[in-house]
Amino acid sequence: MKRFIPLFAILLFAGLGSLNAQNLEKPSSGNEIRLKDYTVTVAQGAEIDLQMWVVKAKKYNLVLEDPKASADDGIKFTFKQKADIEDPLTYGMKVKVDASTPVGDYLCILNVPGKGRSAVTGTTIKIKVVQND
């Protein structure tokens, strides 16, 4: 019995951590961008794959433009919508850092333009650029 309680506590903690890994609950109002990680580390000259979700508050079709990112020179974002998933809208996102980008932390703003009830609240992602070894 003494061994069971610590094991149960560890499993409970691990389960709660995985629940908080990505929050895709519908917002009470408006539409929002959600990410699994809001801070990522990328080496100079490297590229990583991430996912981005647009979570809708209501059950209506959104009329959206292509996602955009405002970032410093040397950090490039590309987006590709996954057509087979509609709710939430899912995008594959690639972040590429040029080899000449200085080491440091960069805040980038992600946005999916839409008007009226299709408006989406943007979000920020922190890119930590580290030296490529």
Side-chain angles (χ1 to χ4, degrees):
M1 184 68 175
K2 289 182 181 180
R3 291 183 191 167
F4 179 72
I5 293 173
L7 177 63
F8 178 74
I10 290 170
L11 291 175
L12 179 64
F13 183 77
L16 290 176
S18 66
L19 285 176
N20 291 328
Q22 64 189 35
N23 178 8
L24 298 179
E25 293 178 15
K26 294 187 180 289
S28 58
S29 64
N31 309 302
E32 296 179 359
I33 293 175
R34 304 274 172 84
L35 303 170
K36 183 175 181 183
D37 298 312
Y38 290 87
T39 302
V40 293
T41 302
V42 185
Q44 293 171 318
E47 178 179 78
I48 61 169
D49 294 324
L50 303 169
Q51 282 194 332
M52 178 179 83
W53 296 273
V54 175
V55 182
K56 303 184 285 187
K58 306 259 187 229
K59 289 187 175 184
Y60 51 75
N61 293 331
L62 295 180
V63 179
L64 301 172
E65 297 176 24
D66 293 331
K68 297 178 180 168
S70 63
D72 290 349
D73 290 337
I75 301 176
K76 295 179 180 76
F77 288 83
T78 55
F79 300 93
K80 184 174 182 182
Q81 184 175 355
K82 296 185 178 182
D84 56 335
I85 304 172
E86 297 247 348
D87 192 18
L89 294 173
T90 304
Y91 294 90
M93 179 173 69
K94 290 185 185 252
V95 180
K96 181 175 172 63
V97 175
D98 291 340
S100 61
T101 303
V103 172
D105 296 343
Y106 298 88
L107 278 179
C108 304
I109 300 171
L110 304 176
N111 196 3
V112 182
K115 294 182 180 175
R117 68 179 184 181
S118 292
V120 178
T121 303
T123 191
T124 58
I125 184 170
K126 184 176 186 178
I127 309 293
K128 291 185 169 202
V129 177
V130 296
Q131 188 172 15
N132 191 2
D133 293 329

